Amino acid sequence: MRIGIIGQKWLAAEVFKALLPVYEVAFVAVPNPQDRLWQMAMAADIPAYSYGGCGLDALAGQAFDLILCAHAFVFVPAHIRDQAKYCIGYHPSLLPLHPGRHAVADAVAAGDRVTGGTVYHLTDAMDGGPIAFQDWCFIGTDETPADLWRRALGPMGLELLLKAADHLAVYGFIPAEEQERV
């Protein structure tokens, strides 16, 4: 199974480390070459692209079974999504609650006691595609957004993204349930 990873920092690096021994990692795309994912890809002789400033057009014309976004913060246009059988991302909230870049901070600021993570299918709608997998966790009383990410939401993202890749490998599809309107 050919997989492309778009992302950065700890989550993308951990996804790369977990997928590399099991699947064909066809490429990684990062915001800049200083990211640890870029360095790991170079060491493993995997093609790496920087989408900082030029987008994802370097990926045009390739075919993949799965493109997954792990801490990506980049819009993946339809012509790139269409090159893969599935294109998914991880969002650190129980979508449709708290979409957007500041989801973890928004959940904490709202006084939520429960939050979670969502693997969803990428579409033109920001954080609005069909849901594949979700999990939840409690928010600690004095927990900061950074604490919550490190303790629960980052590891949860890793687990859910790997679950999606394995589900595709075993069953040939990734579930998709439309998000409820809030």
Side-chain angles (χ1 to χ4, degrees):
M1 188 163 72
R2 283 177 49 87
I3 299 176
I5 301 170
I6 301 171
Q8 64 180 325
K9 300 184 181 181
W10 179 87
L11 181 56
E14 292 300 310
V15 167
F16 178 83
K17 285 194 295 192
L19 293 178
L20 188 60
V22 182
Y23 302 110
E24 178 189 350
V25 177
F27 76 89
V28 303
V30 299
N32 65 68
Q34 288 72 44
D35 190 83
R36 69 183 91 178
L37 178 58
W38 176 282
Q39 304 304 323
M40 292 169 69
M42 291 291 99
D45 201 29
I46 304 293
Y49 305 95
S50 174
Y51 57 80
C54 66
L56 297 168
D57 286 336
L59 304 174
Q62 301 181 52
F64 311 101
D65 296 296
L66 176 64
I67 294 175
L68 61 82
C69 292
H71 209 128
F73 298 117
V74 64
F75 176 74
V76 180
H79 72 279
I80 300 297
R81 294 191 312 261
D82 291 346
Q83 293 175 198
K85 292 176 185 167
Y86 293 91
C87 189
I88 60 172
Y90 172 67
H91 184 75
S93 79
L94 291 169
L95 289 175
L97 302 174
H98 304 298
R101 190 176 192 130
H102 305 288
V104 180
D106 291 346
V108 171
D112 294 353
R113 296 289 297 132
V114 173
T115 191
T118 304
V119 167
Y120 66 102
H121 295 263
L122 299 183
T123 64
D124 284 341
M126 182 185 74
D127 301 332
I131 293 170
F133 298 104
Q134 287 185 313
D135 199 0
W136 68 276
C137 64
F138 288 109
I139 299 174
T141 306
D142 296 324
E143 204 160 32
T144 67
D147 294 338
L148 179 58
W149 171 261
R150 281 191 294 273
R151 177 186 64 81
L153 296 176
M156 184 183 295
L158 174 61
E159 181 181 317
L160 289 172
L161 286 167
L162 297 178
K163 179 179 181 177
D166 291 343
H167 193 281
L168 178 57
V170 171
Y171 298 106
F173 74 99
I174 296 176
E177 183 176 326
E178 291 300 323
Q179 292 187 34
E180 294 181 20
R181 299 214 185 267
V182 177

